[in-house]
């Protein structure tokens, strides 16, 4: 730990060279010690307030292989920890061979797991389904677990629903793959756990009725673990570009990344439709409409003044003006004929104006003000700029709704670790930014950098971090952090000291055999904590995760 944190203390004049590969090798040796794994399990159990599932144990960095070598099987380990109830003990005793097969069976594809999940959903241990019904339900399971679709033949990969013509082909494919595998067709063994009788897929071992529910839950626990293990292998080999759609949401508005709205004088600012991005904004900006609202950047200092200054480079949220507030209201007669229209026109506030003279595409950001009883002017916040009279040669395109915090435009975007400090005007320092809770000296912001899947992590960094739901995060601090210490107080009192806590999360440490990026999940607020050294903290996300992102993080 001292080496990794660069805090290794040596006598004056001494130095040491160390090999990072050797350090990693030693950490892996430590991870294979069974007492280390038991400690991980017990700490997780204390954190959760219940006994962990095998998938949860695996996710925080637990080694199922080490547990098997020492205890023979996961449920045998749980029994040794006295964490099985009477029905689980009896189920384990009667069906140990099948549970062991499920925990260790080789997986070239996900098919055997998909079949069992479908079988459980169909209550197959009580009412054996036909092979056709089982195949169709298995296809539905695959649609939910879309990361597994690459396992499928090309003719089924692009289909989200089986046509009548595809159904028979899919049934044949399923018969010669997982059904054949589970009924012993791919082995020379004489005993197997399932068979097909009268076109129905049946479990071969007689079941005690009072144990069915318990046994089914135990099977599901192992299926969940094997899915987590298999999907983790796929995710770590997936190129980063294919993860980009995880942030997609239906409530997104255009962001004109190359459009600069002049704050000074009319200035030409064309933009290319190829440079339109789409971003989600937090609910604090109100209800948004992608057909009416858009984001653009200010350019200049004419609006930098008054109670609500607009700085050069500020990101601004606009709303397009309806047609009935257009040029027809600019003449005296139109204004005098409709006091209601006149009032609405006067209340627009800060607007984008476009000059209709010359080549067009000349925009200006100004505050719309009345001038006498029959006219308007475009006024600057900065007194160094004179008013511009509103004439029929000037069109009003949109009104300003709000100034946007630049970080809000980055919500659910992904960043490599070294690219995160510049978002806060900071320089990347590996020793500082390799930790999970960063408190830079030059900003009040605190940054949480979380890797959810702790497989392969330093045993001292196997914290218990997980999303309780789309807007609630359980996070575990470092072992040295307590509620009365400096870091603990900074967490608990972050709102009182005006310290924003910024959340960055990734599922796995590696992706496509390289460091995986983090998703920016916005600001979080402290809710509560229990225990100390480490502290188990509950955070509330100011903006909930998208459904896609939550499903990705939770799987």
């Amino acid at each position: 730990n001292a080496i990794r944190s660069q805090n290794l203390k040596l006598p004056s004049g001494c130095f040491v060279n160390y090999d990072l590969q050797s350090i990693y090798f030693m950490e892996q040796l430590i991870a294979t010690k069974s007492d280390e794994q038991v400690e991980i399990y017990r700490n997780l159990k204390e954190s959760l307030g219940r006994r962990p599932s095998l998938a949860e144990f695996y996710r925080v960095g637990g080694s199922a292989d080490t547990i098997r070598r020492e205890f023979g099987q996961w449920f045998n380990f749980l029994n040794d920890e006295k964490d099985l109830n009477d029905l689980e003990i009896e189920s384990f005793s009667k069906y140990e061979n099948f549970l062991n097969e499920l925990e260790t069976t080789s997986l070239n594809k996900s098919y055997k797991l998909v079949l069992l999940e479908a079988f459980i959903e169909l209550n197959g241990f009580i009412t054996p389904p036909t092979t056709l019904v089982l195949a169709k339900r298995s296809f539905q399971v695959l649609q939910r677990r879309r990361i597994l679709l690459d396992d499928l033949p090309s003719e089924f990969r692009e289909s989200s629903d089986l046509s009548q013509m595809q159904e028979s082909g899919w049934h044949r494919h399923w018969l010669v793959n997982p059904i054949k595998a589970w009924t012993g067709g791919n082995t020379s063994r004489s005993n197997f756990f399932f068979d097909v009788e009268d076109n129905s897929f049946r479990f071969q071992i007689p079941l005690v009725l009072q144990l069915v529910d318990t046994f089914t839950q135990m099977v599901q626990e192992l299926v969940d673990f094997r899915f987590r293990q298999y999907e983790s292998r796929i995710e770590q080999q997936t190129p980063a570009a294919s993860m980009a759609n995880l942030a997609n949401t239906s409530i997104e508005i255009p962001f004109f990344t190359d459009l600069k709205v002049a704050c000074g004088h009319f200035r030409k600012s064309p933009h290319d439709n190829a440079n339109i991005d789409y971003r989600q904004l937090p609910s604090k900006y109100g209800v948004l409409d992608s057909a009416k609202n858009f984001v653009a950047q200010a350019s200049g200092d004419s609006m930098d003044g008054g109670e609500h200054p607009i700085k050069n480079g500020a990101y601004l949220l606009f709303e397009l003006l309806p047609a009935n507030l257009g040029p027809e209201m600019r003449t005296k007669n139109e204004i005098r004929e409709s006091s209601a229209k006149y009032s609405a026109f006067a209340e627009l506030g800060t607007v984008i104006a476009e000059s209709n003279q010359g080549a067009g595409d000349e925009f200006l950001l100004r505050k719309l003000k009345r001038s006498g009883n029959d006219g308007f002017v475009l006024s600057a916040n900065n007194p160094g700029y004179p008013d511009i009279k509103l004439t029929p040669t000037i069109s009003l395109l949109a009104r300003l709704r709000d100034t946007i915090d630049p970080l809000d435009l980055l919500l659910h975007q992904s960043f490599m670790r070294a690219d995160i400090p510049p978002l806060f005007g900071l320089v990347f320092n590996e020793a500082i930014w390799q930790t999970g809770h960063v408190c830079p000296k030059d900003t009040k912001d605190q940054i949480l950098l979380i890797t959810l899947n702790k497989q392969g992590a330093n045993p001292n960094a196997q914290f218990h971090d997980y999303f309780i739901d789309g807007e609630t995060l359980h996070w575990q601090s470092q072992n040295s952090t307590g509620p009365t210490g400096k870091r603990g107080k900074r967490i608990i009192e972050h709102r009182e000291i005006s310290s924003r806590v910024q959340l960055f999360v990734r599922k796995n440490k590696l992706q496509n055999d390289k460091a995986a990026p983090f998703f920016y999940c916005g600001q979080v607020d402290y809710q509560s904590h229990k225990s100390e050294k480490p502290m188990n903290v509950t955070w509330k996300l100011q903006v909930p995760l998208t459904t896609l992102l939550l499903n990705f993080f939770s799987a």
Side-chain angles (χ1 to χ4, degrees):
N1 287 336
I3 291 173
R4 283 200 173 276
S5 61
Q6 299 189 8
N7 291 322
L8 183 63
K9 294 182 180 179
L10 296 170
S12 178
C14 295
F15 67 92
V16 60
N17 292 323
Y18 47 85
D19 184 353
L20 292 178
Q21 289 295 329
S22 298
I23 295 173
Y24 178 77
F25 176 71
M26 294 302 295
E27 288 175 348
Q28 297 311 299
L29 287 179
I30 292 172
T32 63
K33 292 173 58 178
S34 61
D35 56 348
E36 182 78 32
Q37 299 304 310
V38 172
E39 184 179 357
I40 291 173
Y41 172 83
R42 290 174 180 173
N43 288 341
L44 180 57
K45 178 183 175 182
E46 181 180 357
S47 172
L48 295 173
R50 56 172 173 79
R51 78 100 166 154
S53 70
L54 181 50
E56 290 169 330
F57 174 73
Y58 173 82
R59 187 163 188 164
V60 300
S63 170
D65 290 341
T66 302
I67 291 295
R68 262 194 307 278
R69 280 196 299 270
E70 184 69 19
F71 298 94
Q73 197 176 32
W74 171 249
F75 289 113
N76 205 43
F77 164 68
L78 294 181
N79 193 33
D80 194 72
E81 288 287 301
K82 298 190 170 30
D83 279 342
L84 292 183
N85 61 39
D86 291 343
L87 290 176
E88 288 171 330
I89 292 171
E90 188 175 354
S91 295
F92 177 58
S93 175
K94 288 184 177 296
Y95 312 115
E96 179 178 356
N97 288 340
F98 174 67
L99 294 172
N100 183 65
E101 174 71 16
L102 178 53
E103 190 175 334
T104 61
T105 187
S106 62
L107 297 173
N108 294 322
K109 289 182 179 289
S110 59
Y111 287 0
K112 287 193 279 189
L113 301 179
V114 172
L115 180 146
L116 284 181
E117 182 139 303
F119 185 76
I120 290 170
E121 290 180 4
L122 293 168
N123 198 24
F125 289 115
I126 294 294
T127 308
T130 66
T131 55
L132 177 59
V133 169
L134 182 61
K136 290 166 67 175
R137 178 57 68 93
S138 297
F139 190 83
Q140 294 173 14
V141 170
L142 282 161
Q143 299 312 304
R144 293 199 308 267
R145 296 181 174 272
R146 299 191 67 80
I147 194 171
L148 304 176
L149 291 182
D150 282 347
D151 283 353
L152 299 181
S154 57
E155 63 264 33
F156 302 114
R157 198 173 299 153
E158 302 301 324
S159 301
S160 58
D161 194 16
L162 290 172
S163 66
Q164 192 167 3
M165 184 178 298
Q166 287 177 308
E167 196 173 275
S168 59
W170 173 252
H171 185 206
R172 286 193 302 273
H173 179 68
W174 214 238
L175 281 170
V176 299
N177 283 281
I179 291 177
K180 183 178 180 182
W182 276 123
T183 55
N186 294 342
T187 73
S188 57
R189 295 185 320 189
S190 58
N191 62 318
F192 43 89
F193 298 103
F194 294 90
D195 72 348
V196 175
E197 184 179 333
D198 297 329
N199 290 323
S200 293
F201 186 78
R202 300 173 180 273
F203 189 55
Q204 281 289 85
I205 305 173
L207 284 169
V208 179
L209 189 59
Q210 68 179 22
L211 297 179
V212 170
D213 287 346
T214 300
F215 171 64
T216 301
Q217 290 168 9
M218 295 170 78
V219 172
Q220 184 68 65
E221 178 171 347
L222 294 181
V223 169
D224 288 343
F225 159 64
R226 297 307 306 274
F227 266 132
R228 176 84 292 277
Q229 194 179 43
Y230 186 83
E231 290 173 357
S232 179
R233 189 172 73 200
I234 296 174
E235 288 160 0
Q236 293 187 36
Q237 297 170 349
T238 302
S242 66
M243 310 291 282
N245 66 347
L246 287 172
N248 285 351
T249 173
S250 57
I251 309 174
E252 292 182 318
I253 62 171
F255 172 29
F256 299 112
T257 57
D258 62 345
L259 177 60
K260 310 297 181 185
V261 181
C263 296
H265 304 283
F266 278 108
R267 187 166 69 241
K268 194 172 182 64
S269 182
H271 76 90
D272 189 334
N273 286 341
N275 293 318
I276 300 177
D277 202 351
Y278 288 84
R279 300 291 173 88
Q280 180 190 24
L281 288 178
S283 58
K284 67 183 180 183
Y285 295 107
V287 178
L288 301 177
D289 184 338
S290 61
K292 294 180 180 179
N293 300 112
F294 65 93
V295 175
Q297 200 170 6
S299 175
D301 64 355
S302 68
M303 301 302 289
D304 189 359
E307 292 184 12
H308 303 288
I310 298 173
K311 303 287 185 180
N312 178 42
Y315 294 95
L316 306 174
L317 173 64
F318 294 100
E319 182 175 310
L320 292 172
L321 293 176
N324 65 349
L325 292 181
E328 74 277 6
M329 294 191 56
R330 298 196 187 95
T331 65
K332 295 181 187 178
N333 290 337
E334 287 287 344
I335 292 171
R336 288 170 177 167
E337 286 174 7
S338 176
S339 59
K341 284 186 179 181
Y342 180 77
S343 298
F345 198 53
E347 292 170 1
L348 291 179
T350 301
V351 297
I352 294 180
E354 181 183 16
S355 172
N356 296 325
Q357 294 179 322
D361 288 332
E362 294 187 354
F363 302 108
L364 179 67
L365 186 69
R366 286 290 179 96
K367 186 175 290 183
L368 186 67
K369 287 185 176 181
R370 295 183 186 181
S371 177
N373 296 322
D374 56 3
F376 293 91
V377 294
L378 298 171
S379 177
N381 289 342
N382 186 334
Y385 290 82
D387 291 345
I388 298 174
K389 185 176 181 180
L390 190 63
T391 67
T393 63
I394 297 174
S395 300
L396 302 184
L397 299 182
R399 71 179 183 93
L400 177 67
R401 275 190 49 164
D402 213 334
T403 301
I404 295 175
D405 183 336
L407 286 172
D408 289 336
L409 285 171
L410 306 178
L411 194 64
H412 300 156
Q413 305 299 305
S414 60
F415 301 90
M416 300 306 295
R417 189 188 293 268
D419 296 328
I420 293 173
L423 302 179
F424 304 94
L426 303 170
V427 176
F428 177 70
N429 180 306
E430 188 169 2
I432 295 173
W433 288 87
Q434 284 295 339
T435 62
H437 179 203
V438 183
C439 300
K441 293 180 180 179
D442 299 329
T443 176
K444 284 188 174 182
D445 285 320
Q446 304 176 58
I447 294 91
L448 300 181
L449 297 165
I450 295 174
T451 302
L452 296 173
N453 188 347
K454 302 300 194 296
Q455 280 296 310
N458 180 336
N460 294 304
Q462 289 170 331
F463 308 114
H464 307 151
D465 307 326
Y466 53 89
F467 284 98
I468 298 171
D469 53 42
E471 53 186 349
T472 314
L473 172 74
H474 177 280
W475 173 79
Q476 191 173 65
S477 73
Q478 294 176 320
N479 293 334
S480 60
T481 302
T484 59
K486 183 178 179 180
R487 279 184 175 263
K489 283 185 175 180
R490 191 165 184 176
I491 290 167
I492 296 170
E493 301 170 1
H494 75 92
R495 279 169 289 202
E496 289 83 349
I497 62 175
S498 301
S499 174
R500 303 181 303 178
V501 182
Q502 311 284 358
L503 177 63
F504 291 82
V505 182
R506 63 183 177 182
K507 186 171 182 178
N508 299 302
K509 181 178 180 179
L510 298 177
Q511 188 172 308
N512 201 24
D513 298 324
K514 297 180 180 178
F518 293 83
F519 286 91
Y520 175 53
C521 298
Q523 294 182 51
V524 292
D525 293 315
Y526 166 85
Q527 298 296 295
S528 63
H529 77 274
K530 60 181 181 180
S531 70
E532 57 179 284
K533 296 186 178 181
M535 294 170 61
N536 288 288
V537 181
T538 300
W539 298 99
K540 182 88 166 185
L541 279 69
Q542 291 189 5
V543 181
L545 298 177
T546 65
T547 301
L548 284 172
L549 204 51
L550 176 61
N551 290 342
F552 172 67
F553 284 150
S554 301

